Amino acid sequence: MNDQADPRPLPPEKPLPGDCCGGGCAVCVNDAYNDELDAYQARLAAWLARHPDASGGDAR
């Protein structure tokens, strides 16, 4: 499988410090980011298993 047919997953964009209003929202932007980061890490682990010669380092 080549990298063009199976591109490395990209990490989610981290929220800026001012993105959280501090109002105790039911779904804070930081909570959403953490959920997206967990999903990204799972996708990256699966991708690395399919591409064992690739570097495991984060591309951020």
Side-chain angles (χ1 to χ4, degrees):
M1 188 177 301
N2 67 37
D3 289 347
Q4 290 179 339
D6 185 21
R8 182 185 186 112
L10 296 175
E13 189 172 328
K14 187 173 184 173
L16 298 173
D19 288 347
C20 174
C21 69
C25 300
V27 180
C28 177
V29 294
N30 292 318
D31 295 333
Y33 169 73
N34 287 330
D35 290 344
E36 291 172 14
L37 188 59
D38 288 343
Y40 159 72
Q41 289 169 339
R43 288 191 310 271
L44 180 60
W47 185 88
L48 288 169
R50 294 189 306 272
H51 299 270
D53 295 335
S55 169
D58 206 343
R60 281 193 247 186

PDB file of all heavy atoms in Angstrom, residues 34-56:
ATOM      1  N   ASN A  34      -9.746  17.280  22.805  1.00  0.00           N
ATOM      2  CA  ASN A  34      -9.220  16.056  23.429  1.00  0.00           C
ATOM      3  C   ASN A  34      -9.848  14.805  22.818  1.00  0.00           C
ATOM      4  O   ASN A  34      -9.157  13.804  22.607  1.00  0.00           O
ATOM      5  CB  ASN A  34      -9.413  16.092  24.946  1.00  0.00           C
ATOM      6  CG  ASN A  34      -8.463  17.055  25.615  1.00  0.00           C
ATOM      7  OD1 ASN A  34      -7.353  17.283  25.137  1.00  0.00           O
ATOM      8  ND2 ASN A  34      -8.889  17.649  26.718  1.00  0.00           N
ATOM      9  N   ASP A  35     -11.149  14.870  22.508  1.00  0.00           N
ATOM     10  CA  ASP A  35     -11.810  13.740  21.841  1.00  0.00           C
ATOM     11  C   ASP A  35     -11.216  13.525  20.448  1.00  0.00           C
ATOM     12  O   ASP A  35     -10.943  12.396  20.040  1.00  0.00           O
ATOM     13  CB  ASP A  35     -13.315  13.974  21.737  1.00  0.00           C
ATOM     14  CG  ASP A  35     -14.023  13.904  23.084  1.00  0.00           C
ATOM     15  OD1 ASP A  35     -13.426  13.386  24.058  1.00  0.00           O
ATOM     16  OD2 ASP A  35     -15.179  14.376  23.155  1.00  0.00           O
ATOM     17  N   GLU A  36     -11.016  14.637  19.714  1.00  0.00           N
ATOM     18  CA  GLU A  36     -10.427  14.545  18.376  1.00  0.00           C
ATOM     19  C   GLU A  36      -8.992  14.024  18.453  1.00  0.00           C
ATOM     20  O   GLU A  36      -8.563  13.245  17.596  1.00  0.00           O
ATOM     21  CB  GLU A  36     -10.448  15.914  17.694  1.00  0.00           C
ATOM     22  CG  GLU A  36     -11.838  16.393  17.323  1.00  0.00           C
ATOM     23  CD  GLU A  36     -11.835  17.827  16.822  1.00  0.00           C
ATOM     24  OE1 GLU A  36     -10.759  18.371  16.510  1.00  0.00           O
ATOM     25  OE2 GLU A  36     -12.928  18.412  16.738  1.00  0.00           O
ATOM     26  N   LEU A  37      -8.241  14.434  19.473  1.00  0.00           N
ATOM     27  CA  LEU A  37      -6.867  13.984  19.641  1.00  0.00           C
ATOM     28  C   LEU A  37      -6.819  12.484  19.932  1.00  0.00           C
ATOM     29  O   LEU A  37      -5.985  11.772  19.366  1.00  0.00           O
ATOM     30  CB  LEU A  37      -6.190  14.769  20.773  1.00  0.00           C
ATOM     31  CG  LEU A  37      -4.694  14.564  20.949  1.00  0.00           C
ATOM     32  CD1 LEU A  37      -3.926  14.932  19.679  1.00  0.00           C
ATOM     33  CD2 LEU A  37      -4.193  15.388  22.131  1.00  0.00           C
ATOM     34  N   ASP A  38      -7.723  11.997  20.763  1.00  0.00           N
ATOM     35  CA  ASP A  38      -7.800  10.548  21.038  1.00  0.00           C
ATOM     36  C   ASP A  38      -8.077   9.777  19.748  1.00  0.00           C
ATOM     37  O   ASP A  38      -7.444   8.747  19.478  1.00  0.00           O
ATOM     38  CB  ASP A  38      -8.885  10.244  22.074  1.00  0.00           C
ATOM     39  CG  ASP A  38      -8.522  10.688  23.481  1.00  0.00           C
ATOM     40  OD1 ASP A  38      -7.329  10.947  23.755  1.00  0.00           O
ATOM     41  OD2 ASP A  38      -9.452  10.793  24.313  1.00  0.00           O
ATOM     42  N   ALA A  39      -9.029  10.269  18.955  1.00  0.00           N
ATOM     43  CA  ALA A  39      -9.371   9.596  17.697  1.00  0.00           C
ATOM     44  C   ALA A  39      -8.186   9.649  16.730  1.00  0.00           C
ATOM     45  O   ALA A  39      -7.888   8.656  16.048  1.00  0.00           O
ATOM     46  CB  ALA A  39     -10.603  10.247  17.071  1.00  0.00           C
ATOM     47  N   TYR A  40      -7.492  10.784  16.676  1.00  0.00           N
ATOM     48  CA  TYR A  40      -6.318  10.913  15.815  1.00  0.00           C
ATOM     49  C   TYR A  40      -5.234   9.914  16.229  1.00  0.00           C
ATOM     50  O   TYR A  40      -4.635   9.249  15.381  1.00  0.00           O
ATOM     51  CB  TYR A  40      -5.772  12.336  15.874  1.00  0.00           C
ATOM     52  CG  TYR A  40      -4.325  12.445  15.454  1.00  0.00           C
ATOM     53  CD1 TYR A  40      -3.962  12.311  14.121  1.00  0.00           C
ATOM     54  CD2 TYR A  40      -3.328  12.656  16.397  1.00  0.00           C
ATOM     55  CE1 TYR A  40      -2.630  12.391  13.737  1.00  0.00           C
ATOM     56  CE2 TYR A  40      -2.001  12.735  16.020  1.00  0.00           C
ATOM     57  CZ  TYR A  40      -1.657  12.606  14.687  1.00  0.00           C
ATOM     58  OH  TYR A  40      -0.341  12.674  14.318  1.00  0.00           O
ATOM     59  N   GLN A  41      -4.993   9.797  17.521  1.00  0.00           N
ATOM     60  CA  GLN A  41      -3.949   8.882  17.996  1.00  0.00           C
ATOM     61  C   GLN A  41      -4.285   7.435  17.637  1.00  0.00           C
ATOM     62  O   GLN A  41      -3.396   6.660  17.277  1.00  0.00           O
ATOM     63  CB  GLN A  41      -3.731   9.063  19.496  1.00  0.00           C
ATOM     64  CG  GLN A  41      -3.051  10.388  19.805  1.00  0.00           C
ATOM     65  CD  GLN A  41      -3.038  10.744  21.278  1.00  0.00           C
ATOM     66  OE1 GLN A  41      -3.834  10.241  22.069  1.00  0.00           O
ATOM     67  NE2 GLN A  41      -2.137  11.641  21.646  1.00  0.00           N
ATOM     68  N   ALA A  42      -5.572   7.078  17.686  1.00  0.00           N
ATOM     69  CA  ALA A  42      -5.987   5.729  17.284  1.00  0.00           C
ATOM     70  C   ALA A  42      -5.788   5.548  15.779  1.00  0.00           C
ATOM     71  O   ALA A  42      -5.300   4.499  15.331  1.00  0.00           O
ATOM     72  CB  ALA A  42      -7.446   5.492  17.672  1.00  0.00           C
ATOM     73  N   ARG A  43      -6.167   6.562  14.979  1.00  0.00           N
ATOM     74  CA  ARG A  43      -5.964   6.480  13.522  1.00  0.00           C
ATOM     75  C   ARG A  43      -4.482   6.406  13.184  1.00  0.00           C
ATOM     76  O   ARG A  43      -4.070   5.645  12.301  1.00  0.00           O
ATOM     77  CB  ARG A  43      -6.588   7.688  12.812  1.00  0.00           C
ATOM     78  CG  ARG A  43      -8.097   7.681  12.774  1.00  0.00           C
ATOM     79  CD  ARG A  43      -8.660   8.751  11.843  1.00  0.00           C
ATOM     80  NE  ARG A  43      -8.103  10.073  12.057  1.00  0.00           N
ATOM     81  CZ  ARG A  43      -8.583  10.984  12.904  1.00  0.00           C
ATOM     82  NH1 ARG A  43      -9.660  10.718  13.619  1.00  0.00           N
ATOM     83  NH2 ARG A  43      -8.010  12.165  13.021  1.00  0.00           N
ATOM     84  N   LEU A  44      -3.649   7.173  13.904  1.00  0.00           N
ATOM     85  CA  LEU A  44      -2.211   7.166  13.659  1.00  0.00           C
ATOM     86  C   LEU A  44      -1.616   5.805  14.005  1.00  0.00           C
ATOM     87  O   LEU A  44      -0.797   5.274  13.250  1.00  0.00           O
ATOM     88  CB  LEU A  44      -1.520   8.269  14.460  1.00  0.00           C
ATOM     89  CG  LEU A  44       0.002   8.357  14.292  1.00  0.00           C
ATOM     90  CD1 LEU A  44       0.382   8.620  12.832  1.00  0.00           C
ATOM     91  CD2 LEU A  44       0.568   9.431  15.205  1.00  0.00           C
ATOM     92  N   ALA A  45      -2.026   5.212  15.120  1.00  0.00           N
ATOM     93  CA  ALA A  45      -1.514   3.898  15.509  1.00  0.00           C
ATOM     94  C   ALA A  45      -1.871   2.854  14.452  1.00  0.00           C
ATOM     95  O   ALA A  45      -1.035   2.018  14.084  1.00  0.00           O
ATOM     96  CB  ALA A  45      -2.067   3.492  16.876  1.00  0.00           C
ATOM     97  N   ALA A  46      -3.092   2.914  13.938  1.00  0.00           N
ATOM     98  CA  ALA A  46      -3.506   1.972  12.894  1.00  0.00           C
ATOM     99  C   ALA A  46      -2.702   2.212  11.624  1.00  0.00           C
ATOM    100  O   ALA A  46      -2.268   1.269  10.955  1.00  0.00           O
ATOM    101  CB  ALA A  46      -5.001   2.105  12.620  1.00  0.00           C
ATOM    102  N   TRP A  47      -2.477   3.479  11.277  1.00  0.00           N
ATOM    103  CA  TRP A  47      -1.705   3.807  10.084  1.00  0.00           C
ATOM    104  C   TRP A  47      -0.259   3.318  10.223  1.00  0.00           C
ATOM    105  O   TRP A  47       0.298   2.750   9.297  1.00  0.00           O
ATOM    106  CB  TRP A  47      -1.748   5.311   9.830  1.00  0.00           C
ATOM    107  CG  TRP A  47      -1.080   5.729   8.562  1.00  0.00           C
ATOM    108  CD1 TRP A  47      -1.657   5.807   7.330  1.00  0.00           C
ATOM    109  CD2 TRP A  47       0.282   6.119   8.391  1.00  0.00           C
ATOM    110  NE1 TRP A  47      -0.726   6.219   6.401  1.00  0.00           N
ATOM    111  CE2 TRP A  47       0.476   6.419   7.032  1.00  0.00           C
ATOM    112  CE3 TRP A  47       1.358   6.240   9.255  1.00  0.00           C
ATOM    113  CZ2 TRP A  47       1.693   6.836   6.528  1.00  0.00           C
ATOM    114  CZ3 TRP A  47       2.576   6.657   8.746  1.00  0.00           C
ATOM    115  CH2 TRP A  47       2.740   6.947   7.395  1.00  0.00           C
ATOM    116  N   LEU A  48       0.333   3.521  11.402  1.00  0.00           N
ATOM    117  CA  LEU A  48       1.712   3.072  11.633  1.00  0.00           C
ATOM    118  C   LEU A  48       1.809   1.549  11.558  1.00  0.00           C
ATOM    119  O   LEU A  48       2.826   1.019  11.104  1.00  0.00           O
ATOM    120  CB  LEU A  48       2.224   3.586  12.981  1.00  0.00           C
ATOM    121  CG  LEU A  48       2.527   5.082  13.028  1.00  0.00           C
ATOM    122  CD1 LEU A  48       2.770   5.534  14.463  1.00  0.00           C
ATOM    123  CD2 LEU A  48       3.706   5.429  12.138  1.00  0.00           C
ATOM    124  N   ALA A  49       0.762   0.854  11.985  1.00  0.00           N
ATOM    125  CA  ALA A  49       0.763  -0.606  11.869  1.00  0.00           C
ATOM    126  C   ALA A  49       0.764  -1.027  10.401  1.00  0.00           C
ATOM    127  O   ALA A  49       1.366  -2.040  10.045  1.00  0.00           O
ATOM    128  CB  ALA A  49      -0.447  -1.193  12.593  1.00  0.00           C
ATOM    129  N   ARG A  50       0.100  -0.235   9.547  1.00  0.00           N
ATOM    130  CA  ARG A  50       0.080  -0.531   8.117  1.00  0.00           C
ATOM    131  C   ARG A  50       1.355  -0.068   7.407  1.00  0.00           C
ATOM    132  O   ARG A  50       1.642  -0.507   6.305  1.00  0.00           O
ATOM    133  CB  ARG A  50      -1.132   0.145   7.450  1.00  0.00           C
ATOM    134  CG  ARG A  50      -2.463  -0.408   7.902  1.00  0.00           C
ATOM    135  CD  ARG A  50      -3.620   0.120   7.063  1.00  0.00           C
ATOM    136  NE  ARG A  50      -3.708   1.571   6.980  1.00  0.00           N
ATOM    137  CZ  ARG A  50      -4.359   2.358   7.833  1.00  0.00           C
ATOM    138  NH1 ARG A  50      -4.982   1.829   8.879  1.00  0.00           N
ATOM    139  NH2 ARG A  50      -4.408   3.672   7.653  1.00  0.00           N
ATOM    140  N   HIS A  51       2.096   0.853   8.047  1.00  0.00           N
ATOM    141  CA  HIS A  51       3.315   1.421   7.465  1.00  0.00           C
ATOM    142  C   HIS A  51       4.454   1.299   8.483  1.00  0.00           C
ATOM    143  O   HIS A  51       4.900   2.298   9.052  1.00  0.00           O
ATOM    144  CB  HIS A  51       3.099   2.899   7.108  1.00  0.00           C
ATOM    145  CG  HIS A  51       2.011   3.116   6.106  1.00  0.00           C
ATOM    146  ND1 HIS A  51       2.236   3.121   4.755  1.00  0.00           N
ATOM    147  CD2 HIS A  51       0.677   3.303   6.257  1.00  0.00           C
ATOM    148  CE1 HIS A  51       1.103   3.319   4.116  1.00  0.00           C
ATOM    149  NE2 HIS A  51       0.140   3.425   5.006  1.00  0.00           N
ATOM    150  N   PRO A  52       4.940   0.087   8.730  1.00  0.00           N
ATOM    151  CA  PRO A  52       5.932  -0.127   9.790  1.00  0.00           C
ATOM    152  C   PRO A  52       7.259   0.593   9.572  1.00  0.00           C
ATOM    153  O   PRO A  52       7.999   0.813  10.533  1.00  0.00           O
ATOM    154  CB  PRO A  52       6.126  -1.650   9.805  1.00  0.00           C
ATOM    155  CG  PRO A  52       5.625  -2.109   8.492  1.00  0.00           C
ATOM    156  CD  PRO A  52       4.576  -1.135   8.050  1.00  0.00           C
ATOM    157  N   ASP A  53       7.568   1.006   8.352  1.00  0.00           N
ATOM    158  CA  ASP A  53       8.821   1.713   8.089  1.00  0.00           C
ATOM    159  C   ASP A  53       8.723   3.210   8.348  1.00  0.00           C
ATOM    160  O   ASP A  53       9.723   3.924   8.302  1.00  0.00           O
ATOM    161  CB  ASP A  53       9.280   1.484   6.649  1.00  0.00           C
ATOM    162  CG  ASP A  53       9.639   0.026   6.388  1.00  0.00           C
ATOM    163  OD1 ASP A  53       9.998  -0.683   7.369  1.00  0.00           O
ATOM    164  OD2 ASP A  53       9.551  -0.409   5.234  1.00  0.00           O
ATOM    165  N   ALA A  54       7.520   3.713   8.622  1.00  0.00           N
ATOM    166  CA  ALA A  54       7.322   5.133   8.849  1.00  0.00           C
ATOM    167  C   ALA A  54       7.745   5.515  10.263  1.00  0.00           C
ATOM    168  O   ALA A  54       7.718   4.711  11.185  1.00  0.00           O
ATOM    169  CB  ALA A  54       5.850   5.495   8.659  1.00  0.00           C
ATOM    170  N   SER A  55       8.117   6.760  10.410  1.00  0.00           N
ATOM    171  CA  SER A  55       8.489   7.291  11.727  1.00  0.00           C
ATOM    172  C   SER A  55       7.231   7.400  12.580  1.00  0.00           C
ATOM    173  O   SER A  55       6.188   7.813  12.108  1.00  0.00           O
ATOM    174  CB  SER A  55       9.134   8.662  11.559  1.00  0.00           C
ATOM    175  OG  SER A  55       9.264   9.301  12.801  1.00  0.00           O
ATOM    176  N   GLY A  56       7.346   7.076  13.863  1.00  0.00           N
ATOM    177  CA  GLY A  56       6.214   7.169  14.770  1.00  0.00           C
ATOM    178  C   GLY A  56       5.996   8.552  15.335  1.00  0.00           C
ATOM    179  O   GLY A  56       5.025   8.808  15.978  1.00  0.00           O
TER     180      GLY A  56
END
